[in-house]
Amino acid sequence: MRKRGILITGAAGEIGDSLIRSLSDQGETQIVTLDLRPLPPENAKLSTHIQGDLMDQALLARLVSEYEIATIYHLAALLSTRAEFSPEMAHQVNVEGTLHLLRLASEQSQWRGEPVLFLFPSSIAAYGMPNLETKAQYPRVREWEWNYPTTMYGCNKLYCEMLGIYYSQYFRQLAADRPVTLDFRALRFPGLISAFTVPSGGTSDYGPEMLHYAAKGEAYAAFVREDTCIPFMAMPDAVTALLKLAAVPARALSRRVYNVTSFSLTAAEFGEMVQRFFPQAQITFKPDLKRQGIVDSWPAGLNDNDARRDWGWKPTYDLERSFSEYLVPNISQRYQPA
Ligand code: SER
């Protein structure tokens, strides 16, 4: 008998770190995690971890021979800055890796006779504003607007959204015996900020980095201009959004890809918030023109009306609560001398 389980890929990453704990709090007993890296010891206790490569087809085949996977949280990806340094590798991991899992989910759906739920974190990087004037003119973009990404990561995310929709709705559309297919659902996240992990390889990283450096008592030079504006969200809200979207009945959904957001602010305002809680923080702005170009192409805000209407999305942590109740207390504790 195969054991029924939830699969999380990229489980050692920032979202995975929080998601494992939330799923385990919800009483999910069989969490199977996959990542190239080991899990931190606290999370390793909560799941069955497979240290391996998503691109390893034999490994995936072994995985489904042992587990009946009902839900997949496919978090593994190379983020936007990192992907620009090795775009083809990013394509391999971000697109081919996703394709492997969509195939797996599709086969599992047929085998089970009911759809496997496939949750996919997409991103503001799926958007591409052509210039700052347009960015100012469209401060809260809708899901279907400005889908012209300028990064490999953004292209990968946008295309994988489409692949997910294809596998859910059109896969083998001409077959007489059209099989049961998977149920793909995606969230376009803003920049995420975790108190427990430090981001690596993203372009929204200047926000969380300001905070983590300030808590460590180290000076930080942000790689963007002070007027740079993008949306952000505290990690607990990102996990809540994923779990909420996973729980909603399919009939309530009017789309498969939803914007979700919490607060938008400029890098200067972000710095002021950090300074308010860490008065000793030394924050300067030293724009890196290339990374700046990427953040400038991302929208200043997301319109998440559809998520609010269809499945009651609402962030718990606005800017004030994110800092005062989640980020500052937990980050301060993290860097306290033992
Ligand atoms: N946080 C991501 C990045 O910066 C965007 O999804 O790449």
Side-chain angles (χ1 to χ4, degrees), residues 79-80 123 153 202-204 298:
L79 293 186
S80 56
S123 161
Y153 171 75
T203 321
S204 58
W298 292 350

Side-chain angles (χ1 to χ4, degrees), residues 22-272:
S22 295
L23 282 170
S24 154
D25 287 347
Q26 276 192 351
E28 289 297 346
T29 46
Q30 195 63 66
I31 304 171
V32 183
T33 51
L34 176 64
D35 202 296
L36 286 171
R37 296 167 291 174
L39 291 184
E42 323 80 76
N43 283 353
K45 284 184 277 190
L46 308 177
S47 74
T48 304
H49 187 56
I50 301 166
Q51 196 172 337
D53 193 342
L54 180 61
M55 308 305 289
D56 180 347
Q57 303 253 28
L59 185 146
L60 293 184
R62 267 205 315 280
L63 199 134
V64 293
S65 72
E66 258 187 75
Y67 295 97
E68 182 193 330
I69 307 288
T71 306
I72 299 176
Y73 292 87
H74 175 37
L75 312 179
L78 257 65
L79 293 186
S80 56
T81 292
R82 181 137 178 247
E84 287 314 299
F85 287 105
S86 23
E88 285 171 20
M89 186 171 97
H91 189 278
Q92 237 170 44
V93 175
N94 295 353
V95 175
E96 286 173 43
T98 303
L99 187 68
H100 289 171
L101 270 190
L102 286 169
R103 187 187 306 126
L104 179 149
S106 176
E107 286 164 7
Q108 289 281 297
S109 301
Q110 287 165 48
W111 191 88
R112 300 170 72 227
E114 61 178 303
V116 166
L117 200 51
F118 194 110
L119 276 299
F120 182 69
S122 186
S123 161
I124 39 170
Y127 295 101
M129 313 303 288
N131 49 51
L132 290 176
E133 294 71 49
T134 315
K135 178 164 168 163
Q137 210 181 334
Y138 294 88
R140 287 178 76 232
V141 293
R142 300 301 307 254
E143 283 85 351
W144 57 87
E145 294 176 317
W146 303 106
N147 289 173
Y148 308 113
T150 65
T151 59
M152 176 53 98
Y153 171 75
C155 293
N156 296 163
K157 286 291 183 189
L158 186 61
Y159 175 58
C160 285
E161 290 175 5
M162 292 176 185
L163 273 182
I165 293 169
Y166 169 78
Y167 269 93
S168 296
Q169 291 173 210
Y170 306 109
F171 180 58
R172 294 192 56 198
Q173 56 192 309
L174 300 184
D177 57 338
R178 191 162 179 267
V180 175
T181 51
L182 58 103
D183 182 352
F184 176 88
R185 304 176 184 192
L187 289 170
R188 287 209 187 134
F189 281 127
L192 300 180
I193 321 169
S194 172
F196 300 104
T197 54
V198 187
S200 71
T203 321
S204 58
D205 295 5
Y206 63 88
E209 281 174 358
M210 279 190 211
L211 261 163
H212 283 268
Y213 276 73
K216 276 191 284 187
E218 292 176 17
Y220 179 68
F223 54 81
V224 291
R225 288 187 318 270
E226 291 176 60
D227 67 327
T228 306
C229 186
I230 57 166
F232 285 97
M233 180 184 284
M235 190 58 82
D237 272 338
V239 170
T240 303
L242 277 169
L243 296 177
K244 252 183 125 82
L245 181 60
V248 71
R251 64 176 182 281
L253 303 179
S254 63
R255 46 190 321 111
R256 290 196 178 273
V257 178
Y258 286 92
N259 280 347
V260 282
T261 191
S262 183
F263 51 86
S264 289
L265 77 178
T266 64
E269 288 163 342
F270 205 115
E272 283 158 23

Side-chain angles (χ1 to χ4, degrees), residues 3-23:
K3 293 163 263 178
R4 216 181 140 101
I6 287 186
L7 173 64
I8 307 178
T9 71
E14 285 207 281
I15 303 178
D17 186 77
S18 296
L19 181 64
I20 294 173
R21 278 180 272 141
S22 295
L23 282 170

